[in-house]
Amino acid sequence: MMWQDLVFLCGSVFSLVVLVPTLRDSMANVPLGTSMPSATIGIVYGVTFFSLGMTMSAFGSLLTGVMWSLIATLRSPHPFDHLFGTGTDRRSAPRSTPQNAD
């Protein structure tokens, strides 16, 4: 076992721990421009680490990529939801008075 493998695994585990609250918070709103690149990077890093024989790092990075994929799926506003009537727009707060009421 290479010590570097363990260091990268610890970094991935730390990332997973700090991402759990975002995944659990139903009001969280993470842009797809953040979550999708992060998921892609985690998966690419995982495959790269695996090709180098760093299996623990690969496992941690792949899990981080999966976590970001879940965040992208569950906690990101999807640009076409309003067209099909699925989901809710979590960005707008309920108004106490109707719009344009003067």
Side-chain angles (χ1 to χ4, degrees):
M1 172 176 77
M2 299 178 354
W3 66 269
Q4 294 93 340
D5 200 10
L6 187 59
V7 169
F8 286 124
L9 175 64
C10 289
S12 295
V13 168
F14 177 74
S15 294
L16 291 169
V17 168
V18 299
L19 289 174
V20 167
T22 302
L23 191 59
R24 295 186 67 195
D25 182 3
S26 63
M27 295 304 290
N29 192 359
V30 180
L32 283 173
T34 299
S35 55
M36 288 306 295
S38 298
T40 302
I41 289 169
I43 292 168
V44 168
Y45 280 8
V47 171
T48 304
F49 284 137
F50 185 74
S51 73
L52 293 170
M54 301 172 74
T55 54
M56 291 188 301
S57 299
F59 183 70
S61 292
L62 287 172
L63 282 179
T64 302
V66 168
M67 178 72 85
W68 274 111
S69 298
L70 288 170
I71 290 171
T73 302
L74 300 173
R75 301 297 177 238
S76 295
H78 295 278
F80 303 115
D81 280 353
H82 68 281
L83 296 176
F84 302 107
T86 60
T88 59
D89 188 3
R90 296 182 298 261
R91 292 174 290 174
S92 60
R95 298 177 185 265
S96 59
T97 58
Q99 191 174 10
N100 298 330
D102 295 318

